[in-house]
Amino acid sequence: MTTSAKTLTLVKNSDRLEKRLKEIPQEPGVYLMRDSSDRILYIGKSKKLRSRVRSYFRESQKLSDRIAMMVRQVVEIEFIVTDTEAEALALEANLVKQHQPYFNVLLKDDKKYPYVLVTWSEEYPRIFITRNRRIAKEKDKYYGPFVDAGLLRTTLRLAKRLFPMRQRPQPLFKDRPCLNYDMGRCPGVCQKLVSTEEYRKTIQKIAMVFQGRTGELIDVLKENMNQAAESLNFEAAARIRDQIAGIKSLGADQKVSLPDDTVSRDAIALAADNQHACIQLFQIRAGRLVGRLGFFADAQSGTPGAILQRVLEEHYQAADSVEIPAEVLVQHELPEMDMLAEYLSDRKGRKVSILAPQRQTKAELIEMVERNANYELERTQRFADRNTQAMQDLADIVDLPDLPHRIEGYDISHIQGSNAVASQVVFVDGTPAKQHYRHYKIKNPEVRSGHSDDFASLAEVIRRRFRKYAEDPQLQRVGNSDWPDLVMIDGGKGQLSSVVEVLQDMNLMEDLRVVSLAKQREEIFLPGESSPLPTEAEQPGVQLLRRLRDEAHRFAVTFHRQQRSDKLRRSRLDEIPGLGFHRQKLLLAHFRSIDYIREASPKQLAEVSGIGPRLAQEIYDYFHP
């Protein structure tokens, strides 16, 4: 059997490689390298595409072991030309986020630090603390992360006292403001007693505190105070004076003084072993440390400079232009330092310098950041050692050939069959990978209120999860990141048997390792075995399965409660003729609860988009028979 030229890798087909390289222009842009299964291996950018791509295939070019392995798999090279280098940088970042190529530097946020989220997408923005940094809407903005969670909460409480803003996520009353309005702590957002423009100006002032721009904010407030005093509005001037005093006291408590307060700068450094790279980015504004950002990366994914460059690119793409500092200090020279500096300068609207300092104060600052990165690395190593021990123990328990890279856990949640749902949670290398979590609504008509069947529900979910592998066996290949090394079912022998039966019917049982974990005694059952495995509840491998089981249970229960809540909210409205699902949503969005809808007059109901006078009267008559 011969292999066609099309499926030969480029390093083995020099004629096709040379032809392809000649087709690539000497312009800025992005290149994508694909393997024989059309999977993207690597995405890169360059000022000159042809020169960069050709460098991978030169014999004189010394490549790292990881990149050399990647080059040996390349079958096709695609490219996208851009007008500028800055566009190439932005496009590459977006494509890497979308496709997550294996050989790119893929970063993970250090989730232990909290952020402040401002929901700029809303008419009256909310501001609150969160540890989940996920962009739900494009206009919403995260500030941080912040090292001291207690101090951050104090800061937000002080901000709410200094500036009148909405204090509650939902209105307390339908037709009047709450006590916060009378106390001057809220401008009456619930009754729209303040315009959106004025309110957003207030929120912008608070955001400046979390951007480290307190100096600018104080200057603005002083100007406002002087204007109020000149207009003989002494009450307003006194209120602004108190705001300035509060912000100054906040700055004195929150920040650590550093020399040279004339330049805003970020300092970034990493510490790495053979597996992990821990990156720390310190934000210094007006000579004070105001924030710290943490990332983790695979140490083999690139040189230290390439890893630092990826961190800076991702961080500044998500930052406001005012948050970009005038100077960025780096521990190592970056491979695309000039391109990144030009991109940041364009974003900021003024020159941004990137330096790798070697001596004096700036070098000492980098050493301090590196020292903190080392502490994070030590913590990561301890956690990784415990995880590796747990995975090794689990592999020994269930007789796996290698450590289980991807483990999936499944659970069912319902109340006597009603609103039955299932959860799929995924642990990658022993830690939760929430981006791979899935919900399932049970579709089996036999599972309904008053009649539950966990065995049938689990069988349905497993069939839906692995259907694509039964239809296309070629997907079951080593290296497929979606294929689990181990599947855990929450339950005993009965639940396991129902799942095994489905997998046998799909001809997947020989390729998939499945176990169940019974709650009562934390016992592990294997397919076809009547007795549990001889394990101890506290040994590392069993503890890992317990964490997976508990997470699957939590995820399923949370989704079930959400479904039940949605159903209860709509159950009474379903009985009103002519009131479909869309109009129910409009009503609930306007009045917030069934109670408010019940108390509304026909005229108030008719004000809702899509609810005319006739339907409004029917709704009113339903609640007032």
Side-chain angles (χ1 to χ4, degrees), residues 301-312:
S301 60
T303 63
I307 293 174
L308 295 181
Q309 172 130 356
R310 173 59 65 192
V311 172
L312 294 173

Side-chain angles (χ1 to χ4, degrees), residues 3-9 13 16 36 75-76:
T3 306
S4 68
K6 187 175 181 181
T7 58
L8 277 176
T9 60
N13 191 334
R16 196 164 71 88
S36 57
V75 167
E76 185 56 86

Side-chain angles (χ1 to χ4, degrees), residues 153-374:
R153 285 190 288 270
T154 302
T155 303
L156 189 55
R157 276 198 301 270
L158 179 59
K160 286 184 175 182
R161 284 204 303 271
L162 293 173
F163 299 94
M165 59 180 290
R166 65 188 291 182
Q167 304 287 327
R168 305 178 60 86
Q170 298 293 341
L172 191 60
F173 306 108
K174 185 179 70 171
D175 55 355
R176 61 186 175 89
C178 65
L179 189 60
N180 284 313
Y181 175 74
D182 299 316
M183 296 169 61
R185 296 182 63 184
C186 174
V189 171
C190 60
Q191 303 303 315
K192 298 190 175 180
L193 300 179
V194 60
S195 68
T196 57
E197 294 78 9
E198 281 300 314
Y199 187 73
R200 293 176 83 89
K201 287 179 183 177
T202 300
I203 298 298
Q204 284 167 353
K205 291 175 183 176
I206 297 172
M208 290 175 74
V209 174
F210 299 106
Q211 290 173 336
R213 300 166 60 204
T214 52
E216 294 178 51
L217 177 57
I218 288 172
D219 291 340
V220 171
L221 292 176
K222 281 182 178 178
E223 185 177 339
N224 293 344
M225 181 179 66
N226 294 333
Q227 289 175 355
E230 289 173 4
S231 303
L232 303 182
N233 190 349
F234 299 115
E235 185 178 341
R239 185 168 61 250
I240 298 173
R241 178 202 62 202
D242 293 340
Q243 291 175 347
I244 293 172
I247 293 169
K248 284 182 176 178
S249 67
L250 172 64
D253 290 338
Q254 183 179 353
K255 302 171 186 175
V256 180
S257 291
L258 292 172
D260 184 7
D261 62 356
T262 59
V263 178
S264 64
R265 57 171 60 95
D266 286 352
I268 186 169
L270 63 76
D273 57 15
N274 292 332
Q275 294 178 296
H276 310 98
C278 293
I279 306 100
Q280 292 285 294
L281 188 150
F282 279 30
Q283 299 163 311
I284 297 100
R285 303 293 182 268
R288 297 181 176 92
L289 177 65
V290 299
R292 179 170 71 173
L293 183 66
F295 282 98
F296 296 115
D298 182 351
Q300 302 298 320
S301 60
T303 63
I307 293 174
L308 295 181
Q309 172 130 356
R310 173 59 65 192
V311 172
L312 294 173
E313 290 171 358
E314 290 201 6
H315 171 59
Y316 292 127
Q317 277 222 322
D320 283 341
S321 58
V322 296
E323 295 179 78
I324 298 174
E327 188 175 271
V328 181
L329 305 180
V330 295
Q331 177 191 24
H332 300 281
E333 292 279 346
L334 309 183
E336 304 281 355
M337 188 177 288
D338 294 339
M339 181 187 286
L340 181 59
E342 182 180 339
Y343 169 75
L344 296 180
S345 300
D346 288 343
R347 286 278 322 274
K348 190 172 180 64
R350 53 179 291 191
K351 182 175 174 58
V352 175
S353 302
I354 302 178
L355 309 171
Q358 303 298 320
R359 58 182 183 272
Q360 295 182 338
T361 307
K362 293 178 181 178
E364 291 172 1
L365 177 57
I366 287 292
E367 288 176 7
M368 182 185 74
V369 181
E370 183 181 358
R371 213 161 45 242
N372 281 271
N374 269 305

Side-chain angles (χ1 to χ4, degrees), residues 41-87:
L41 298 171
Y42 185 80
I43 298 173
K45 63 181 176 304
S46 180
K47 298 177 184 178
K48 298 180 178 180
L49 280 171
R50 185 191 302 162
S51 300
R52 169 56 60 83
V53 174
R54 186 181 290 277
S55 69
Y56 288 100
F57 299 93
R58 287 197 189 102
E59 293 184 4
S60 59
Q61 184 76 23
K62 181 159 178 60
L63 303 173
S64 67
D65 293 340
R66 180 185 177 86
I67 298 301
M69 186 198 313
M70 181 268 293
V71 171
R72 290 196 294 270
Q73 300 177 46
V74 175
V75 167
E76 185 56 86
I77 302 170
E78 298 176 7
F79 61 88
I80 302 171
V81 174
T82 60
D83 290 333
T84 65
E85 298 163 12
E87 286 181 10

